[in-house]
Amino acid sequence: MGVLEKFSLAGRTALVTGGYRGLGRAFADALAEAGADVVIGARDVAATRQAASEVAAATGRKVVGVELDVNDRASGRAAIETAVQRTGRFDILVNNAGACVHRPALDVPDDEWDAVFSTNVDGLWKLSQEAARHFTTVGGGTIVNIGSISAQIVNRPQWQPAYNASKAAVHQLTKSLAAEWAPLKIRVNAVAPGYVKTEMAPVDEPRFKARWIDDAPMQRYAVPEEIAPTVVFLASDASSFMTGSVVVIDGGYTLH
Ligand code: NDP
């Protein structure tokens, strides 16, 4: 097999949570371009269906938009069932859906803390477990979690304690599941992006420039298309000996 063929996802099906905008949309585009059929799942069902038809038109792959709330285990299970029913299989889970709230720790109400953890950690856990239960019936699969440099550093000037702690949990859960599920031929890896221009990260706001941009060795933010190739790599046979890895993609931000 040639080296580029190892990156091919032809004949596989991926589920991307939160895949209609931002990073998730770039992942859906890239996975489909690499040959995968794709299910996009998020709470805004109109947006997921619109994105699915755009990705399908651009790539010629089968792409399905479904309503999915990662907090709701049943809707995660239904998204996986849709993948199997509509494409005949399910091989790749990209746990991309995430939430972030900027607020000083002294002011964070319980419901806000719970909402961030519920989406970023509990939701990722539930979908990973549902996916892995399917993967055990078909001989394996891959999971790519979207972590963050916020697992390693404390972002400034804004405070986001729940988000930072939740992403540290994502990185450690990635390693824990990777170790436990390696004998089941389920690989679990994560990417940890730095600042990427999306609705979650208002990278153009002047108040963030000194910390977010000027502090980064590359002196810029990323666009989602710069993170997507690594997700394809981690989803594909090109990374066949990788599991439990957290790949930092941050323009050097976390270098000291
Ligand atoms: P966006 O806010 O642009 O997109 C988030 C997506 O997640 C939306 O499609 C949203 O759709 C979906 N989502 C949120 N909650 C749920 C839920 N409960 N169930 C299903 N889908 C949900 O964010 P980004 O693209 O910036 O972020 C994507 C991932 O990348 C997140 O995990 C984030 O933490 C991570 N990340 C982002 C960085 C950045 O700089 N942008 C840096 C590092 C990591 P809907 O609300 O309709 O459900």
Side-chain angles (χ1 to χ4, degrees), residues 102-166:
H102 297 173
R103 200 183 303 282
L106 291 175
D107 301 332
V108 175
D110 284 346
D111 60 348
E112 198 173 275
W113 174 276
D114 292 344
V116 171
F117 259 74
S118 175
T119 301
N120 296 3
V121 184
D122 302 14
L124 179 146
W125 155 251
K126 290 173 191 167
L127 256 174
S128 298
Q129 197 183 37
E130 291 296 330
R133 284 176 177 156
H134 175 82
F135 293 156
T136 59
T137 68
V138 293
T142 62
I143 298 176
V144 183
N145 293 327
I146 310 308
S148 173
I149 59 167
S150 302
Q152 298 173 225
I153 57 116
V154 177
N155 306 71
R156 292 179 170 82
Q158 81 288 3
W159 303 115
Q160 45 186 53
Y163 182 85
N164 298 347
S166 76

Side-chain angles (χ1 to χ4, degrees), residues 19-109:
Y20 70 81
R21 75 174 191 216
L23 280 156
R25 173 59 191 269
F27 302 155
D29 285 331
L31 292 163
E33 192 184 328
D37 291 335
V38 179
V39 175
I40 296 172
R43 293 169 300 180
D44 185 336
V45 67
T48 64
R49 291 199 177 130
Q50 176 65 30
S53 66
E54 289 170 8
V55 180
T59 61
R61 304 311 319 165
K62 195 174 286 181
V63 187
V64 184
V66 298
E67 186 171 2
L68 165 65
D69 183 344
V70 296
N71 298 299
D72 172 21
R73 180 183 286 275
S75 82
R77 195 181 299 139
I80 291 169
E81 282 165 8
T82 298
V84 174
Q85 281 163 9
R86 298 286 296 276
T87 73
R89 51 191 301 144
F90 172 55
D91 311 276
I92 299 158
L93 170 64
V94 180
N95 278 311
N96 165 78
C100 181
V101 181
H102 297 173
R103 200 183 303 282
L106 291 175
D107 301 332
V108 175

